Amino acid sequence: MEWLKNLFRPKSDRFISLLQQQADYTVEGAEALLDYLQKPSKGHVKRIARIEQDADEIRRILIEELNNTFVTPIDREDIHMLSRDIDDILDYANTTVDEMEMLGVRSNKYLERMASLLSEAASEIRFSVMRLSDHPKVALDHAVRAKALENRVETVYREALADLFSMPQDLEHLVGMLKLREIYRHLSNAADRGDEAGNVLSDIVVKMV
């Protein structure tokens, strides 16, 4: 009956470990995105794609663990949502690079600034996950910082759009403007997922303390 005991045994360390691995990959991916924006290369493109694939594997393992565990130390829905939000940040980083390559979009100061803030937010989320078990109030502090960074990304996003819509002079400029707007939107969406991850982490802490 050992399998039945395992089914009802909380796996706190296991779930936190998997979430932390996801967060580690997301930090690495956000840093790789910034590297790409500062100095585009095929090597950075491949690196981000590899990181995203490795992170997806960790998420698949986490989902399987959820399906095979009856009692979870953190609400099942919270684990699932946090894992999804962390994964989405990295997905958007990857698709940002893919679309820039496909559309021939060049980096600029707004993209670099947004990516830099996104990298900081990813780090705050990672620290929050790391502190969940032993220092939940510290985890909450990091979650709040991640949410604040989302606001800063949105400020840069609005500045970028304002500058963008002052650019069109002819059809060529208009096409370039539309391409850039899509890339800006990708990074804005990535920041939104960081904000959502911060919300989930905050909810988890409230339930723990």
Side-chain angles (χ1 to χ4, degrees), residues 83-143:
S83 174
R84 179 201 61 200
D85 291 336
I86 293 173
D87 182 66
D88 282 348
I89 297 170
L90 184 52
D91 284 346
Y92 274 116
N94 186 44
T95 55
T96 294
V97 171
D98 284 346
E99 293 212 358
M100 287 183 71
E101 287 287 303
M102 181 178 65
L103 298 174
V105 174
R106 299 175 63 180
S107 183
N108 61 34
K109 64 179 182 180
Y110 297 113
L111 289 172
E112 290 184 26
R113 185 59 182 147
M114 291 172 74
S116 177
L117 292 168
L118 183 64
S119 179
E120 291 183 44
S123 293
E124 292 294 346
I125 291 167
R126 177 177 63 177
F127 282 127
S128 184
V129 173
M130 289 171 60
R131 305 293 181 245
L132 266 180
S133 296
D134 299 327
H135 303 283
K137 292 183 179 179
V138 177
L140 179 59
D141 288 341
H142 287 295

Side-chain angles (χ1 to χ4, degrees), residues 9 27 36 39 54 62 79 106 126 153 176 182 186 188 205:
R9 184 179 295 129
V27 169
Y36 169 83
K39 192 174 181 180
D54 290 344
L62 183 145
I79 295 173
R106 299 175 63 180
R126 177 177 63 177
V153 172
E182 286 304 307
H186 272 279
S188 175
V205 171

Side-chain angles (χ1 to χ4, degrees), residues 167-178:
M167 287 173 50
Q169 300 172 11
D170 52 35
L171 183 58
E172 181 181 352
H173 283 86
L174 179 60
V175 171
M177 182 190 77
L178 294 175

Side-chain angles (χ1 to χ4, degrees), residues 13 27 29 44 55 58 66 68 70 76 79-80 125 129 136 142 144 147 157 161 168 183 193-194 198 205:
D13 291 343
V27 169
H44 290 318
I58 298 301
L66 269 181
N68 294 333
F70 189 77
R76 184 180 305 272
I79 295 173
H80 190 277
I125 291 167
V129 173
H142 287 295
V144 171
K147 289 175 59 61
Y157 173 64
L161 287 182
I183 304 304
R193 297 304 185 275
V205 171

